[in-house]
Amino acid sequence: KLEFTKVFQSGLDACLEWKFTGRHTGVYHGRQPTGRAFASPGVSVIRLSEDGRIASCADYYDGASVARQLAV
């Protein structure tokens, strides 16, 4: 599940704060499912084109924290 908690925009630049939650039910980086739950905050930094489309997007989150929560 991806929940957006804050949205900021200034001109053609935007930033989304989000929380990513779920349960490990499929193969993750080659590891079999553990059934464990995980949660991680993150940020998406977006640059819009003049016509309002997404020109670029970079996502930042702590993948190591997710891996620790899943015990992988």
Side-chain angles (χ1 to χ4, degrees):
K1 177 180 173 187
L2 190 59
E3 175 187 353
F4 296 104
T5 54
K6 290 185 183 175
V7 178
F8 304 92
Q9 183 177 354
S10 177
L12 297 178
D13 297 313
C15 180
L16 304 173
E17 289 184 5
W18 42 265
K19 185 175 182 181
F20 180 48
T21 60
R23 187 165 299 279
H24 184 197
T25 60
V27 176
Y28 176 73
H29 292 281
R31 306 288 181 141
Q32 294 301 311
T34 63
R36 294 177 185 233
F38 66 91
S40 179
V43 175
S44 296
V45 179
I46 299 169
R47 178 73 178 176
L48 301 171
S49 63
E50 291 293 334
D51 64 0
R53 295 175 184 244
I54 296 174
S56 65
C57 178
D59 297 322
Y60 300 93
Y61 70 100
D62 186 354
S65 172
V66 173
R68 280 192 301 275
Q69 292 174 65
L70 300 178
V72 296

